[in-house]
């Protein structure tokens, strides 16, 4: 097989080549945001365009372009879909028993206010899940828990996606910054410290945005103390841990301490009025969702969402259609301690399994016993630096993979809930059926990512942005944002653009440490728009096919937060340069 050498400027015009390289991404965003195309159709169309450009413009052999497509699709299934499938299986094991209803009662016994629950579940607990599992697991689990508390599907998904921002740079036990250090050569402590001086500013803002999404300006006015306490405590602990302690436990400690802080606040303070369950959603019921005009129109106020199934014992009454959204709701009686432990058992099992897997001796054994690397067949790609492209080497860690650990957690849950193994298999098969379009979507968008990366399209786009010189400080956050929006992973985006950020910063006279960390910190804001994460959220709440609706709801928040972070980065290049280690 003849080696394929990537070309940075295949047309003799870097600007024109960059425009062509961006076309698959532009097409993806237009199909989702303007034409409201189903996610799988948008992903397949963008993939097809990328393959055509790779062959016709970047001169990649057809066989290698197809092989890159296959590699991306495989990576989409393992590890990403492997995580989602098993995370949703764990969740569905609870919905098949009465413990899901008890979970709803437990959540609402802490607070009957959906705004407070958005902070506690989506932001604080979601950060803990991000630290332990990463990828789509926090979005899948927290959106399901918010639905258990009575929040509408679209709103649950939107809140969970937006909340999954501030923790991401240190998610999956610090994988993104660890990867960034590996590709750039910057010491891990240095790059982690810099990221820890950027993402805490997002943590200060995000909880306020969550309560705004749930209940508008009134929500911010009535619940700002909880949002400020949760965000501030999380930000302080994230900064302190990443700068002075250990990178791997940054979000674990930040999430746990933030949860404790909000719960302590609730002992001495309550909001004046409660934002209760949305219209016609029975609180805590096992969600079998039937979308009315809301799903068709994408308008949370037009139509209704009904839920079939009997209300579990101890659950508060559902809100009648037309009842004021901020009306007082009687908080249900707290279930017994045993019932509470059983209701939250699957999530405690997940935390325990992942924590045990991080014990050095066990982690080393899992890596040695169940991990290996191999060259993907049909690929021989040489990068512009003259070295083989790293992404054509596939790492297969089937034992320590997040999805495998979630599978183990599910098997333990089977035993705890005394569900027959045969019934557990049936539930697993049903879960696969629910995710059939999500599987196609995620595999297609990861195939798009690999084709763009291996053909040189991504490199061309990055070099064009880096050639901007001194104003690269403005473009650096955009580059990280694009990377995560495309790959759905801050770790992948750091691997993709980390070294490019350092090289461009050096040529532009900017701090390589600052620009490298910015790639990761700004990248987290693109995660809520990445197609695979939209698909995860939609599948988790049972609204497959409405990814474009979620995209339109979130793109404004994503760009707005990106603009704020860009201002911070500009300040850190001069006025706040003392913040750069």
């Amino acid at each position: 097989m003849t080696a394929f050498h990537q070309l940075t400027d295949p047309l003799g015009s870097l600007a024109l080549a960059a425009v062509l390289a961006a076309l698959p991404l532009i097409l993806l965003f237009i199909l989702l945001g303007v034409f409201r195309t189903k996610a799988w159709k948008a992903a397949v169309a963008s993939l097809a365009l990328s393959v055509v450009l790779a062959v016709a413009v970047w001169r990649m052999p057809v066989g290698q372009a197809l092989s890159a497509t296959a590699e991306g699709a495989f990576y989409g299934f393992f590890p990403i879909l492997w995580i989602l499938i098993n995370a949703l299986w764990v969740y569905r094991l609870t919905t098949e028993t009465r413990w899901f209803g008890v979970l709803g009662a437990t959540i609402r016994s802490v607070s009957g206010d959906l705004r407070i629950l958005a902070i506690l579940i989506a932001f604080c607990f979601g950060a803990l899940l991000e630290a332990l599992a990463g990828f789509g697991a926090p979005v899948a689990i927290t959106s399901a828990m918010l639905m258990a508390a009575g929040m509408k599907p679209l709103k649950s998904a939107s809140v969970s996606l937006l909340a999954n921002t501030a923790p991401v740079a240190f998610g999956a036990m610090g994988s993104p910054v660890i990867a960034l250090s590996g590709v750039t050569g910057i010491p891990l402590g240095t790059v982690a410290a810099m990221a820890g001086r950027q993402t805490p500013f997002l943590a200060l803002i995000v909880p306020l945005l969550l309560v705004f999404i749930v209940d508008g300006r009134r929500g911010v006015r009535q619940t700002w103390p909880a949002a400020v306490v949760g965000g501030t405590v999380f930000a302080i602990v994230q900064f302190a841990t990443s700068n002075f302690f250990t990178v791997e436990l940054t979000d674990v400690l930040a999430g746990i301490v933030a949860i404790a802080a909000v719960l302590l606040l609730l002992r001495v303070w309550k909001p004046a009025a409660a934002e209760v369950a949305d219209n016609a959603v029975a609180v805590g019921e096992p969600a079998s969702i039937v979308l009315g005009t809301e799903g068709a129109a994408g308008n949370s106020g037009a139509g209704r969402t009904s839920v079939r199934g009997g209300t579990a014992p101890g659950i508060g009454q559902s809100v009648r259609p037309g009842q004021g959204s901020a009306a007082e709701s009687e908080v249900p009686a707290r279930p017994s301690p045993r019932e509470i432990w059983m209701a939250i058992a699957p999530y405690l099992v997940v935390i325990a399994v992942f924590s045990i897997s991080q014990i050095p001796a066990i982690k080393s054994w899992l890596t040695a016993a169940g991990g290996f690397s191999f060259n993907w067949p049909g690929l021989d790609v040489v990068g512009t630096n003259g070295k083989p492209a790293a992404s054509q080497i596939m790492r297969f860690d089937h034992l320590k993979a997040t999805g495998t650990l979630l599978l183990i957690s599910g098997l333990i849950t089977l035993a705890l809930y005394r569900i027959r193994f045969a019934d557990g298999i049936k539930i697993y098969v049903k879960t696969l059926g629910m995710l059939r379009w999500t599987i196609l979507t995620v595999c297609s968008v990861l195939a798009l990512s690999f084709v763009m990366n291996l053909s040189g399209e991504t490199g061309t786009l990055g070099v064009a942005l880096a050639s901007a010189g001194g104003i690269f400080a403005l473009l650096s956050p955009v580059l990280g944002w694009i990377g995560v929006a495309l790959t759905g992973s801050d770790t992948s985006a750091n691997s993709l653009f980390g070294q490019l950020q350092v090289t461009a910063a050096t040529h532009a006279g900017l701090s390589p440490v600052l620009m490298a960390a910015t790639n990761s910190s700004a990248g987290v804001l693109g995660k809520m728009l990445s197609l695979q994460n939209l698909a995860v959220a939609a599948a988790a709440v049972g609204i497959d096919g409405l990814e474009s609706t979620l995209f339109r709801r979130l793109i404004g928040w994503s760009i707005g937060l990106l603009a704020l972070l860009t201002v911070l980065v500009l300040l850190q290049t001069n006025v706040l340069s003392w913040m750069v280690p």
Side-chain angles (χ1 to χ4, degrees), residues 507-535:
H507 291 162
L510 300 169
S511 166
V513 173
L514 174 60
M515 294 300 103
T518 296
N519 191 81
S520 188
S521 300
V524 305
L525 300 174
K527 191 166 186 179
M528 69 182 84
L529 299 181
S530 68
L531 201 51
Q532 54 266 49
N533 283 289
L534 291 172

Side-chain angles (χ1 to χ4, degrees), residues 131-327:
L132 296 170
F135 295 93
V139 171
I141 292 174
T142 59
S143 57
M145 292 177 72
L146 288 174
M147 282 185 61
M151 192 178 290
K152 282 185 177 180
L154 277 171
K155 188 175 290 184
S156 298
S158 299
V159 167
S160 296
L161 284 165
L162 181 57
N164 192 222
T165 49
V168 169
F170 298 99
M173 308 307 289
S175 293
V177 289
I178 291 173
L180 186 61
S181 172
V183 299
T184 62
I186 300 174
L188 176 59
T190 302
V191 73
M194 187 65 248
R197 301 176 191 188
Q198 293 177 322
T199 55
F201 289 96
L202 299 176
L204 295 174
I205 300 171
V206 168
L208 291 167
L209 296 182
L210 298 182
V211 298
F212 181 84
I213 289 176
V214 175
D215 194 31
R217 294 180 181 178
R218 175 181 54 191
V220 176
R221 185 173 64 252
Q222 294 179 348
T223 60
W224 67 264
V228 169
V229 167
T232 301
V233 170
F234 185 93
I236 292 172
V237 177
Q238 190 182 56
F239 162 75
T241 307
S242 61
N243 276 262
F244 305 112
F245 296 106
T246 174
V247 173
E248 289 83 357
L249 295 180
T250 295
D251 284 343
V252 173
L253 294 177
I256 291 174
V257 176
I259 289 173
V262 174
L263 291 178
L264 287 174
L265 173 67
L266 292 176
R267 288 180 173 269
V268 298
W269 168 89
K270 301 287 184 185
E275 165 71 1
V276 298
D278 288 310
N279 290 348
V281 179
V283 180
E285 290 178 351
S288 174
I289 305 155
V290 182
L291 290 174
T293 55
E294 176 193 19
N299 184 343
S300 62
R304 65 184 181 87
T305 304
S306 62
V307 180
R308 294 193 297 263
T311 305
I315 309 301
Q317 293 181 348
S318 61
V319 181
R320 295 186 302 275
Q323 182 177 344
S325 62

Side-chain angles (χ1 to χ4, degrees), residues 7-87:
L7 301 173
T8 301
D9 184 7
L11 299 175
S13 171
L14 183 60
L16 177 59
V19 170
L20 291 178
L23 283 181
L25 300 180
I26 295 172
L27 176 63
L28 184 65
F29 289 155
I30 289 177
L31 289 176
L32 282 175
V34 179
F35 294 102
R36 306 184 184 185
T37 307
K38 289 186 179 298
W40 71 267
K41 293 181 180 179
V44 170
S46 300
L47 169 61
L49 176 58
S50 178
V51 171
V52 170
L53 290 172
V55 173
V57 179
W58 275 265
R59 306 167 198 170
M60 189 178 198
V62 174
Q64 296 209 43
L66 295 177
S67 181
T69 301
E71 183 187 14
F74 177 83
Y75 184 80
F77 189 85
F78 189 95
I80 295 175
L81 283 167
W82 184 233
I83 295 170
L84 173 60
I85 291 168
N86 290 301

